[in-house]
Amino acid sequence: MAGRKLMDKVHELEEFRLHAYANAELYKEKTKRWHDKHIVTRTFKPGQKVLLFNSHLRLFPGKLRLKWSGPFEVVRMSAHGAVDLWYRTKSTMFVVNVQQVKHYFGQNVDHEEEKIKLKNE
């Protein structure tokens, strides 16, 4: 009699484990569908201006750190998600992942030459 109860408990535990495994699979599929739906496809054409994400810059922690640098000019975009960028001020070209760049819609402002005039009243 005790052996029968023990076997029933083992079968119940196995059924519970299989149910939890099935729920985990459903959860993973659901989160993958949500993630894939929110992925933004980015395509760039040669000559476009883009900003590059500063992933390695750790000079300023938190809010004060600049997250984007640029603008850079797109030279070529490969089919595998790599973008060739041209940095005009340093005359260098390098390759980055397409997920690290975004479109630049601002004006070309040279921050070193920008001057602020103050009126003395």
Side-chain angles (χ1 to χ4, degrees):
M1 184 94 163
R4 179 79 176 161
K5 285 185 178 181
L6 183 62
M7 286 305 292
D8 286 344
K9 292 286 184 182
V10 168
H11 289 300
E12 185 181 333
L13 186 61
E14 183 69 19
E15 185 178 329
F16 181 74
R17 187 185 67 81
L18 290 174
H19 184 67
Y21 183 76
N23 283 342
E25 285 296 317
L26 289 173
Y27 174 76
K28 287 179 186 179
E29 289 173 9
K30 184 178 177 182
T31 55
K32 183 180 179 349
R33 278 195 309 266
W34 182 88
H35 180 265
D36 290 346
K37 186 171 71 170
H38 288 88
I39 290 178
V40 177
T41 57
R42 296 179 181 160
T43 56
F44 301 101
K45 297 176 185 169
Q48 279 185 326
K49 302 288 184 183
V50 295
L51 296 175
L52 177 66
F53 184 70
N54 289 331
S55 59
H56 299 292
L57 184 62
R58 303 275 188 242
L59 296 177
F60 300 108
K63 301 192 267 191
L64 300 177
R65 184 180 68 162
L66 294 175
K67 294 182 180 176
W68 298 92
S69 62
F72 298 93
E73 186 175 336
V74 175
V75 176
R76 184 177 63 90
M77 183 172 174
S78 73
H80 301 292
V83 179
D84 294 343
L85 297 180
W86 172 257
Y87 192 37
R88 179 169 285 158
T89 57
K90 293 188 178 181
S91 298
T92 58
M93 191 169 85
F94 53 94
V95 180
V96 295
N97 190 331
V98 73
Q99 296 297 322
Q100 293 181 333
V101 294
K102 69 177 183 178
H103 291 281
Y104 176 69
F105 299 111
Q107 300 173 355
N108 288 336
V109 177
D110 189 2
H111 295 289
E112 294 176 4
E113 294 182 12
E114 185 176 336
K115 295 180 183 177
I116 299 173
K117 294 182 181 180
L118 299 174
K119 291 184 178 179
N120 203 3
E121 297 184 85

